[in-house]
């Protein structure tokens, strides 16, 4: 089992750098983006990304808009929303749009790692179901 590939997205550069260092020490492959548009560019170039850790409050394209675009283009990528300005409405919007979960900033690294592992497991399960469906389809076609 490969370790999760994570994309950190936040406009606060020192926060991203510090969190990337901490996650990297825990055997994650970590990439960074400092805006929603940057995140979409990185995702377009890096098909191995499993999980996006996404800040809600960013100038320009905010976290909710970024989440919407990620889920449209990369439906299997799991997104964990992070915010220092949690509102119940934003959390509900994020969950409705397909966010895996929602954590308050600053969040405990162990709690974040637990969420990353859960998100990776969910993604792997979805990918396996798709693989099984394709195999089943090929086998069925082969008999026809």
């Amino acid at each position: 089992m490969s370790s999760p590939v994570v994309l950190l997205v936040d406009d606060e550069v020192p926060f991203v750098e510090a969190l990337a260092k901490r996650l990297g020490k825990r055997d994650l492959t970590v990439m960074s983006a400092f805006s929603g548009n940057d995140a979409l560019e990185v995702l377009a170039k890096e098909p191995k990304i499993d999980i996006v850790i996404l800040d809600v409050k960013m100038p320009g394209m905010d976290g909710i808009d970024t989440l919407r675009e990620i889920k449209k283009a990369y439906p299997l990528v799991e997104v964990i929303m992070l915010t220092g300005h949690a509102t119940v409405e934003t959390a509900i919007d994020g969950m409705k749009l397909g966010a895996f979960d929602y954590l308050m900033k600053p969040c405990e690294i162990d709690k974040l790692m637990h969420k990353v592992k859960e998100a990776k497991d969910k993604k792997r399960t979805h990918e396996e179901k798709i693989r099984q469906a394709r195999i089943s389809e090929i086998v069925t076609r082969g008999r026809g």
Side-chain angles (χ1 to χ4, degrees):
M1 183 181 94
S2 61
S3 67
V5 179
V6 175
L7 174 60
L8 281 179
V9 187
D10 195 311
D11 59 274
E12 296 172 40
V13 176
F15 173 77
V16 171
E17 289 172 349
L19 189 55
K21 205 174 287 179
R22 293 178 77 190
L23 292 174
K25 286 179 183 167
R26 287 167 172 79
D27 292 328
L28 296 183
T29 302
V30 184
M31 297 174 194
S32 303
F34 302 107
S35 72
N37 286 326
D38 284 353
L40 295 173
E41 286 175 23
V42 173
L43 280 161
K45 291 181 204 146
E46 286 295 338
K48 289 183 168 36
I49 292 171
D50 297 302
I51 298 143
V52 176
I53 298 171
L54 178 62
D55 187 33
V56 171
K57 294 280 186 194
M58 294 186 293
M61 183 187 285
D62 71 5
I64 294 294
D65 289 337
T66 304
L67 169 67
R68 191 176 287 119
E69 293 303 314
I70 290 170
K71 282 299 184 180
K72 203 183 318 175
Y74 313 97
L76 291 179
V77 171
E78 294 298 342
V79 180
I80 298 170
M81 306 293 290
L82 277 188
T83 186
H85 320 269
T87 64
V88 175
E89 293 79 25
T90 310
I92 291 169
D93 287 346
M95 300 307 270
K96 279 183 190 166
L97 290 169
F100 177 75
D101 212 333
Y102 202 92
L103 294 171
M104 288 291 294
K105 271 165 77 176
C107 66
E108 295 169 31
I109 197 79
D110 291 341
K111 190 173 188 179
L112 181 58
M113 283 300 298
H114 181 71
K115 291 295 176 197
V116 165
K117 184 189 175 318
E118 284 181 353
K120 171 74 174 175
D121 290 346
K122 181 179 175 191
K123 182 175 188 264
R124 188 179 308 109
T125 300
H126 281 162
E127 289 169 341
E128 187 55 34
K129 283 181 183 173
I130 290 167
R131 252 191 306 281
Q132 292 301 325
R134 286 185 179 145
I135 290 167
S136 174
E137 189 180 306
I138 291 165
V139 169
T140 305
R141 236 189 282 136
R143 288 189 194 137

